[in-house]
Amino acid sequence: MEHNEDCRAKFYCCSCLYTDNIFLEEYKIHVRYISEQQFTNDYQMVLRNIGCVTNEQFRNVTEKIEKEIQRRRLLGQTSTERTAFISEFYKPLHSHVYVLQESYLAPEFLEIVNFSRSEDANVEGLLNLIESLAAERTYRFPVFTKEFCRNLIEELENFEQSDAPKGRPNTMNNYGILLNELGFDNRFITPLRENYLQPIAMLLYPDCGGDSLDSHKAFVVKYALQQDLDLSYHYDNAEITLNVSLGKAFTEGNLYFGDMRQVPISDSECAEIEHKVTCGLLHRGQQFHGALPITSGQRWNLIIWMRSSSVRNKLCPMCNKTPQLVEAVGFADGFTKDTLVQNTEQRTCSIS
């Protein structure tokens, strides 16, 4: 009897992945695409007001959208193929960086984690150890050592320069690396989330899933002249986000934070926050934010979108509806099914 591995998948995506939050780089907006007629009705005038004025320009937009939807439908397949190729043929420069060691972590970060794990842990004590920033409930603290950041960037550059296939981190960043495909998930990102970041998130964000994080998406983005310079205003597909500046040398490129996505953008005021190498910014994923352009050098950022299925199973953060689940690979978008339903499906798959 052939057993179907997909039947045992724990995590899922919402079907809105194929329709919602499609970013149009040229016009700096996210759109929804169900059909060409729906899209024309909803967005033709909007796009015309921001520069998409000819029929040819509009056709180009719809073609790009349809191509992006097709890319999303093939995400699981192409990611699995890339991961297999990388595992077999890519030769790491620094193989040690793939396995988390406490020596990679800044002493200040270990102090923060140890306090958060202690019986006496409380929010007030934690706030004495981390930096509260101008944006509400946004914090900064050292995460890694400079040596580890340097070694990790060297490894990422080695991969970037290799012939191995590479996927885009998301629809807004064109330059970067999906860390699960490179092999970082099991022995680096997952233990970092579970053993070090979870105790902090439990204290700071119990109301938005910080006490029940059970999956993630981790990737590195690169900002450089002639490549991605900045990042448009957006919110993350996450409950909690950690954004660590790895280096290299760069100028400008500060982040700016607004209100939560439930607040109209017109009513939101932004606070600008500086990135510091080796330090992480911790914030709620549903808080609007963006990155100003760098003016020189390169900046590499490690982004970890941490997710709580108990939160997102109730309401998909991307379409604001009860999630309609579709099969996916790995941690997918962090949705889970009811255990009884899932087990029933597994038995059905096993005997089919």
Side-chain angles (χ1 to χ4, degrees):
M1 181 184 300
E2 184 177 349
H3 184 78
N4 187 343
E5 289 291 327
D6 289 339
C7 295
R8 297 189 285 110
K10 180 182 179 182
F11 292 96
Y12 299 79
C13 290
C14 176
S15 62
C16 74
L17 174 66
Y18 307 132
T19 57
D20 290 31
N21 294 286
I22 298 170
F23 185 64
L24 304 181
E25 172 66 32
E26 186 175 356
Y27 302 103
K28 306 297 183 185
I29 63 169
H30 287 85
V31 298
R32 187 168 190 253
Y33 189 96
I34 304 296
S35 67
E36 187 173 350
Q37 185 61 52
Q38 164 269 326
F39 182 74
T40 300
N41 293 340
D42 292 349
Y43 294 103
Q44 189 170 43
M45 291 306 299
V46 174
L47 288 168
R48 183 166 293 175
N49 290 334
I50 54 178
C52 181
V53 295
T54 69
N55 290 336
E56 183 180 1
Q57 286 176 315
F58 192 77
R59 281 196 301 272
N60 288 338
V61 167
T62 58
E63 288 173 2
K64 288 180 181 177
I65 290 173
E66 289 167 355
K67 183 177 180 181
E68 169 60 18
I69 291 172
Q70 180 64 10
R71 183 191 72 86
R72 294 184 182 194
R73 290 192 178 279
L74 296 174
L75 272 177
Q77 175 185 330
T78 55
S79 180
T80 300
E81 291 170 354
R82 286 193 299 264
T83 301
F85 184 98
I86 292 166
S87 176
E88 183 172 358
F89 296 108
Y90 172 67
K91 295 182 179 180
L93 177 66
H94 296 309
S95 57
H96 65 278
V97 301
Y98 290 78
V99 182
L100 181 65
Q101 305 289 336
E102 284 208 344
S103 60
Y104 303 161
L105 304 175
E108 300 93 331
F109 180 61
L110 291 174
E111 181 183 359
I112 292 165
V113 173
N114 288 334
F115 173 81
S116 300
R117 291 171 176 167
S118 70
E119 294 182 358
D120 300 326
N122 57 70
V123 176
E124 293 74 18
L126 178 57
L127 293 178
N128 289 328
L129 297 175
I130 63 179
E131 184 180 0
S132 297
L133 302 172
E136 184 179 2
R137 299 182 74 183
T138 301
Y139 309 98
R140 179 168 55 208
F141 45 83
V143 177
F144 299 119
T145 65
K146 289 184 178 179
E147 180 182 4
F148 172 76
C149 289
R150 183 171 58 251
N151 286 341
L152 180 57
I153 289 178
E154 288 174 356
E155 175 60 34
L156 297 171
E157 287 179 326
N158 186 66
F159 176 70
E160 189 181 47
Q161 294 161 10
S162 75
D163 294 331
K166 302 165 184 72
R168 291 170 59 188
N170 53 68
T171 58
M172 298 183 72
N173 292 101
N174 298 301
Y175 297 89
I177 296 167
L178 291 161
L179 293 182
N180 66 306
E181 294 184 0
L182 195 49
F184 277 90
D185 253 8
N186 290 339
R187 296 187 294 171
F188 193 102
I189 301 297
T190 295
L192 179 64
R193 169 174 55 83
E194 292 180 344
N195 301 327
Y196 297 90
L197 297 174
Q198 176 92 14
I200 299 171
M202 287 179 65
L203 291 174
L204 295 177
Y205 306 109
D207 55 326
C208 28
D211 57 351
S212 55
L213 302 172
D214 55 358
S215 71
H216 62 261
K217 177 178 179 178
F219 53 95
V220 172
V221 295
K222 176 186 175 186
Y223 298 92
L225 301 182
Q226 311 305 320
Q227 296 184 2
D228 287 339
L229 292 176
D230 56 10
L231 189 61
S232 297
Y233 204 47
H234 67 286
Y235 62 88
D236 299 335
N237 186 0
E239 276 62 68
I240 312 294
T241 295
L242 178 70
N243 182 336
V244 184
S245 177
L246 302 174
K248 297 180 165 180
F250 57 89
T251 54
E252 302 300 331
N254 288 349
L255 298 189
Y256 56 98
F257 286 85
D259 286 306
M260 297 294 280
R261 66 182 174 91
Q262 293 84 358
V263 178
I265 293 178
S266 57
D267 296 339
S268 184
E269 294 185 5
C270 289
E272 190 172 326
I273 294 173
E274 181 184 3
H275 250 316
K276 296 183 179 180
V277 175
T278 75
C279 290
L281 298 176
L282 192 69
H283 63 88
R284 294 165 292 174
Q286 302 297 290
Q287 186 171 7
F288 268 104
H289 57 285
L292 296 170
I294 65 167
T295 54
S296 68
Q298 289 184 12
R299 189 176 82 214
W300 292 76
N301 287 68
L302 167 63
I303 315 292
I304 306 177
W305 288 351
M306 293 178 280
R307 293 159 167 169
S308 165
S309 61
S310 64
V311 171
R312 58 185 39 231
N313 285 350
K314 299 173 185 176
L315 190 72
C316 172
M318 305 310 288
C319 66
N320 295 319
K321 299 176 183 177
T322 301
Q324 301 297 310
L325 303 186
V326 295
E327 293 286 348
V329 299
F331 284 130
D333 276 352
F335 300 98
T336 59
K337 288 187 177 181
D338 177 82
T339 302
L340 177 61
V341 174
Q342 186 172 324
N343 287 342
T344 300
E345 288 195 348
Q346 288 176 9
R347 289 196 297 272
T348 302
C349 290
S350 297
I351 63 177
S352 59

